[in-house]
C-alpha cells in the first residue's frame, strides 16, 4: 500500500475530502441551531423567561460566530439569497434615454440598465403588470413581465 499507487492516492483524497465536508456541515448545523435557539427566545412574552433563554443561548451563538483558526484565509461564505421577487408594478415610467423605471408594490424601485435596448410597454388599462426579478450572471438581475416573452436587465435603485 504505497502512496505512489494511484488507487491508494485517490482513496486517500476521497476520504480527506469527505472528512472536510463533514466538519463544515457540522459547523454549519451548530451555527443554524444556535441561531434557531435565539429566534425561539424572541417569542417568549415574559421578560424574565426571555432573558433566561437568551442567557442560555448566548454562549452557543457566540461560539458559532467567532472566528476559527481553521477558517483563516478562506473566503467568507455568502449568505443565502432570495431566489426571486415577484410583485406588481405600481408605477412604470421612462428615463430621458427611454429606459424603464419600475416602482413595485413592495416598495422596491428597479431601473432598466443602459446596455439593454428592450422596449417596455405599458400594460393594458385595468390590467395589473406583474413582474418577477431573478438573479442573473455576474451579479446582474433580469426582470420578466408575466405574459410577455423575454426579460429586461435591471438594477435596483431603491
Amino acid at each position: 500500500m504505497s502512496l505512489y499507487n494511484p488507487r491508494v492516492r485517490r482513496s486517500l483524497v476521497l476520504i480527506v475530502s469527505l472528512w472536510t465536508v463533514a466538519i463544515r456541515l457540522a459547523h454549519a448545523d451548530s451555527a443554524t441551531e444556535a441561531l434557531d435557539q435565539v429566534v425561539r427566545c424572541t417569542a417568549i412574552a415574559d421578560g424574565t423567561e426571555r432573558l433566561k433563554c437568551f442567557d442560555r443561548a448566548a454562549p452557543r451563538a457566540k461560539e458559532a460566530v467567532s472566528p476559527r483558526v481553521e477558517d483563516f484565509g478562506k473566503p467568507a461564505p455568502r449568505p443565502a439569497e432570495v431566489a426571486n421577487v415577484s410583485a406588481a408594478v405600481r408605477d412604470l415610467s421612462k428615463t430621458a434615454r427611454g429606459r424603464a423605471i419600475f416602482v413595485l408594490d413592495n416598495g422596491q424601485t428597479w431601473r432598466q440598465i443602459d446596455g439593454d435596448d428592450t422596449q417596455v410597454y405599458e400594460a393594458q388599462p385595468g390590467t395589473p403588470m406583474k413582474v418577477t426579478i431573478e438573479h442573473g450572471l455576474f451579479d446582474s438581475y433580469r426582470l420578466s413581465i408575466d405574459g410577455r416573452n423575454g426579460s429586461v436587465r435591471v438594477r435596483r435603485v431603491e
Side-chain angles (χ1 to χ4, degrees):
M1 187 160 145
S2 169
L3 289 178
Y4 295 109
N5 183 337
R7 288 183 64 170
V8 171
R9 191 178 295 177
R10 276 194 301 265
S11 297
L12 187 59
V13 168
L14 178 64
I15 290 169
V16 170
S17 298
L18 290 174
W19 181 71
T20 304
V21 168
I23 289 173
R24 282 187 174 172
L25 289 175
H27 179 69
D29 286 344
S30 67
T32 302
E33 288 173 9
L35 183 59
D36 288 344
Q37 178 62 37
V38 171
V39 170
R40 281 192 295 270
C41 292
T42 62
I44 298 173
D46 181 50
T48 306
E49 291 301 315
R50 186 173 52 251
L51 181 58
K52 286 179 185 177
C53 182
F54 279 127
D55 286 344
R56 285 189 304 269
R60 201 164 164 208
K62 183 178 179 184
E63 181 182 312
V65 298
S66 54
R68 300 178 321 159
V69 173
E70 53 270 14
D71 292 335
F72 179 77
K74 291 182 182 177
R78 294 185 71 173
E81 291 188 7
V82 176
N84 61 46
V85 173
S86 295
V89 177
R90 187 174 40 188
D91 184 39
L92 175 66
S93 59
K94 301 271 180 146
T95 66
R97 292 185 163 189
R99 303 297 180 244
I101 298 175
F102 302 88
V103 178
L104 307 181
D105 62 355
N106 64 8
Q108 296 179 354
T109 302
W110 293 80
R111 181 186 178 280
Q112 182 179 10
I113 65 170
D114 286 331
D116 187 352
D117 293 329
T118 305
Q119 292 296 317
V120 179
Y121 300 103
E122 294 269 347
Q124 297 292 330
T127 307
M129 180 184 289
K130 298 197 184 255
V131 298
T132 302
I133 302 171
E134 297 176 315
H135 199 270
L137 297 174
F138 306 114
D139 289 329
S140 65
Y141 295 91
R142 294 184 320 267
L143 180 142
S144 302
I145 302 170
D146 288 0
R148 300 185 193 179
N149 293 332
S151 62
V152 180
R153 292 184 298 163
V154 294
R155 67 177 169 84
R156 185 159 175 193
V157 179
E158 286 183 36

